[in-house]
Amino acid sequence: MGKVKFRYYPNVYEDNVIAHVEGVCQCCGRTVNEYIESMYAVEDVDCICLQCVSDGSAAAKFHGSFIEDADPVSDPEKQDELFHRTPGYLSWQGEYWLACCDDYCKYMGYVGIKELEELGCKDEVLEEYVQRDTLIPIEDLEKYLHINGYMRGYLFQCLHCGKYHLWVDMD
């Protein structure tokens, strides 16, 4: 079986969200070498193969989701795809998924100020972020936002207009 693709998490295999050890999927019962170790459900779930995430069977079986919270979008099918068929990224406070152009953005990975500068989007992304979260001033973001620091950025990119967006989390 080939690699499972996720529209809103295209680089899932390069990120640290997948366990790369042998386990038995709690949804389909297959022995797998790549799986997701958690989801939001009443039952303890620690091994869900990527196929069962992608096709929605794990979310249906365990009456759960993989994403804690997200911006609103108008299309219920997009909401279903994000919450029930997309793995969540690893964060300290619980993942929050950003939207743009009435669709969820693709998650790009962890970023700090250095990475935003390299992408050439630092000023625009920070200004947009402080409009969304007025508790953290730009000066604090510029001083403390580091890819491996106690204040970490999560970078998203719109699937339609290509604009970058930032979510910030602290340990």
Side-chain angles (χ1 to χ4, degrees):
M1 185 181 309
K3 298 279 187 187
V4 178
K5 296 188 185 306
F6 297 96
R7 178 175 187 226
Y8 299 123
Y9 202 159
N11 61 343
V12 69
Y13 292 96
E14 292 80 42
D15 212 348
N16 58 358
V17 70
I18 296 174
H20 296 277
V21 294
E22 188 173 290
V24 176
C25 177
Q26 291 171 257
C27 185
C28 68
R30 289 185 299 129
T31 300
V32 293
N33 292 314
E34 295 179 321
Y35 57 87
I36 302 300
E37 294 181 292
S38 66
M39 68 181 294
Y40 297 99
V42 173
E43 189 173 331
D44 286 335
V45 179
D46 58 14
C47 182
I48 299 295
C49 75
L50 299 175
Q51 185 61 49
C52 288
V53 173
S54 176
D55 68 16
S57 58
K61 179 175 182 172
F62 297 108
H63 306 285
S65 68
F66 296 97
I67 308 300
E68 184 173 348
D69 202 3
D71 285 346
V73 299
S74 63
D75 186 344
E77 289 182 22
K78 291 174 182 175
Q79 293 170 10
D80 179 60
E81 181 175 355
L82 180 71
F83 284 91
H84 303 126
R85 296 184 279 124
T86 303
Y89 60 89
L90 298 179
S91 67
W92 291 309
Q93 306 294 325
E95 65 284 306
Y96 187 88
W97 219 276
L98 299 178
C100 183
C101 298
D102 199 31
D103 195 359
Y104 294 109
C105 295
K106 63 181 176 178
Y107 173 68
M108 304 297 292
Y110 300 145
V111 293
I113 292 297
K114 177 184 172 207
E115 292 75 22
L116 295 174
E117 286 173 340
E118 290 170 358
L119 286 169
C121 64
K122 180 190 86 149
D123 293 337
E124 179 182 357
V125 167
L126 293 183
E127 287 174 23
E128 179 196 50
Y129 182 79
V130 297
Q131 289 176 8
R132 188 179 325 112
D133 183 352
T134 58
L135 297 176
I136 304 175
I138 284 182
E139 299 78 29
D140 286 356
L141 290 169
E142 289 181 347
K143 185 174 182 180
Y144 300 113
L145 188 66
H146 300 284
I147 197 166
N148 292 314
Y150 77 91
M151 180 186 285
R152 178 183 290 158
Y154 304 90
L155 187 64
F156 293 84
Q157 187 177 27
C158 181
L159 293 167
H160 305 282
C161 71
K163 184 177 177 181
Y164 288 107
H165 302 277
L166 180 69
W167 185 251
V168 173
D169 196 3
M170 291 174 259
D171 72 356

